[in-house]
Coordinates of all heavy atoms in Angstrom, one line a residue:
L1545 N 13.4 225.6 -45.7 CA 12.0 225.9 -46.1 C 11.2 226.5 -44.9 O 10.3 227.3 -45.1 CB 11.3 224.7 -46.7 CG 11.9 224.3 -48.1 CD1 11.1 223.1 -48.6 CD2 11.8 225.4 -49.1
Q1546 N 11.5 226.0 -43.7 CA 10.8 226.6 -42.5 C 11.2 228.1 -42.3 O 10.4 228.9 -42.0 CB 11.2 225.8 -41.2 CG 10.6 224.4 -41.2 CD 9.1 224.4 -41.2 OE1 8.4 225.3 -40.8 NE2 8.5 223.3 -41.8
V1548 N 12.1 230.1 -44.8 CA 11.4 230.8 -45.8 C 10.0 231.1 -45.4 O 9.5 232.2 -45.5 CB 11.4 230.0 -47.1 CG1 10.5 230.6 -48.2 CG2 12.8 229.9 -47.7
A1549 N 9.3 230.1 -44.8 CA 7.9 230.3 -44.4 C 7.8 231.3 -43.3 O 6.9 232.1 -43.2 CB 7.3 228.9 -43.9
E1550 N 8.8 231.3 -42.3 CA 8.8 232.3 -41.3 C 9.0 233.7 -41.8 O 8.4 234.7 -41.3 CB 9.9 232.0 -40.2 CG 9.5 230.8 -39.4 CD 10.7 230.3 -38.5 OE1 11.7 231.0 -38.4 OE2 10.6 229.2 -38.0
C1552 N 8.1 234.9 -44.6 CA 7.0 235.3 -45.4 C 5.7 235.3 -44.6 O 4.6 235.5 -45.3 CB 6.8 234.4 -46.6 SG 8.2 234.5 -47.8
T1553 N 5.7 235.2 -43.3 CA 4.4 235.1 -42.6 C 3.5 236.3 -42.7 O 2.3 236.1 -42.7 CB 4.7 234.8 -41.1 OG1 5.6 235.8 -40.6 CG2 5.2 233.4 -40.8
A1556 N 2.3 236.2 -46.8 CA 1.9 235.0 -47.5 C 1.6 233.9 -46.5 O 2.0 233.9 -45.3 CB 3.1 234.5 -48.4
K1557 N 0.9 232.9 -47.0 CA 0.6 231.7 -46.2 C 1.0 230.5 -47.0 O 1.1 230.5 -48.2 CB -0.9 231.6 -45.9 CG -1.8 231.5 -47.1 CD -3.3 231.4 -46.6 CE -4.2 231.1 -47.8 NZ -4.6 232.3 -48.5
V1558 N 1.4 229.4 -46.2 CA 1.8 228.2 -46.8 C 0.6 227.4 -47.3 O -0.2 227.1 -46.6 CB 2.6 227.4 -45.8 CG1 3.1 226.1 -46.4 CG2 3.8 228.1 -45.3
E1559 N 0.6 227.3 -48.6 CA -0.5 226.5 -49.2 C -0.2 225.0 -49.3 O -1.1 224.2 -49.0 CB -0.8 227.0 -50.7 CG -2.0 226.5 -51.3 CD -2.3 227.1 -52.6 OE1 -2.8 228.3 -52.6 OE2 -2.1 226.5 -53.6
A1560 N 1.0 224.7 -49.6 CA 1.4 223.3 -49.6 C 2.7 223.2 -48.8 O 3.7 223.8 -49.1 CB 1.6 222.8 -51.1
Y1561 N 2.6 222.4 -47.7 CA 3.7 222.3 -46.8 C 4.9 221.5 -47.5 O 4.6 220.7 -48.5 CB 3.3 221.6 -45.5 CG 2.5 222.6 -44.7 CD1 1.1 222.6 -44.8 CD2 3.1 223.5 -43.9 CE1 0.3 223.5 -44.0 CE2 2.4 224.4 -43.1 CZ 1.0 224.4 -43.2 OH 0.2 225.3 -42.5
P1562 N 6.1 221.6 -47.0 CA 7.2 221.0 -47.7 C 7.1 219.5 -47.8 O 6.7 218.8 -46.9 CB 8.4 221.3 -46.8 CG 8.0 222.5 -46.0 CD 6.5 222.5 -45.9
L1570 N 9.6 220.4 -52.2 CA 8.7 221.5 -52.8 C 7.9 222.1 -51.7 O 7.4 221.4 -50.7 CB 7.8 220.9 -53.8 CG 8.4 220.2 -55.0 CD1 7.3 219.6 -55.9 CD2 9.2 221.2 -55.8
M1571 N 7.6 223.4 -51.8 CA 6.7 224.1 -50.9 C 6.0 225.2 -51.8 O 6.6 225.8 -52.6 CB 7.4 224.7 -49.7 CG 6.5 225.5 -48.8 SD 7.4 226.0 -47.3 CE 8.3 227.4 -47.9
V1572 N 4.7 225.4 -51.5 CA 4.0 226.5 -52.3 C 3.4 227.5 -51.3 O 2.8 227.2 -50.3 CB 2.8 225.8 -53.1 CG1 2.0 226.9 -53.8 CG2 3.3 224.8 -54.0
L1573 N 3.7 228.8 -51.6 CA 3.2 229.9 -50.9 C 2.2 230.7 -51.7 O 2.3 230.8 -52.9 CB 4.4 230.9 -50.5 CG 5.5 230.3 -49.7 CD1 6.6 231.3 -49.6 CD2 5.1 230.0 -48.3
S1574 N 1.1 231.2 -51.0 CA 0.1 232.0 -51.8 C -0.1 233.3 -51.0 O 0.1 233.3 -49.8 CB -1.1 231.2 -51.9 OG -1.7 230.9 -50.7
P1575 N -0.5 234.3 -51.7 CA -0.8 235.6 -51.0 C -1.9 235.5 -50.0 O -2.8 234.7 -50.2 CB -1.1 236.6 -52.1 CG -1.0 235.8 -53.4 CD -0.7 234.4 -53.1
K1576 N -1.8 236.3 -48.9 CA -2.9 236.3 -47.9 C -4.1 237.0 -48.4 O -4.0 237.9 -49.2 CB -2.4 236.9 -46.6 CG -1.6 235.9 -45.8 CD -1.4 236.5 -44.4 CE -0.7 235.4 -43.6 NZ -0.3 235.9 -42.3

Side-chain angles (χ1 to χ4, degrees):
L1545 289 181
Q1546 292 298 331
V1548 169
E1550 288 170 13
C1552 293
T1553 51
K1557 63 179 182 276
V1558 178
E1559 188 173 285
Y1561 288 95
L1570 304 173
M1571 180 172 76
V1572 179
L1573 300 171
S1574 63
K1576 279 189 175 176

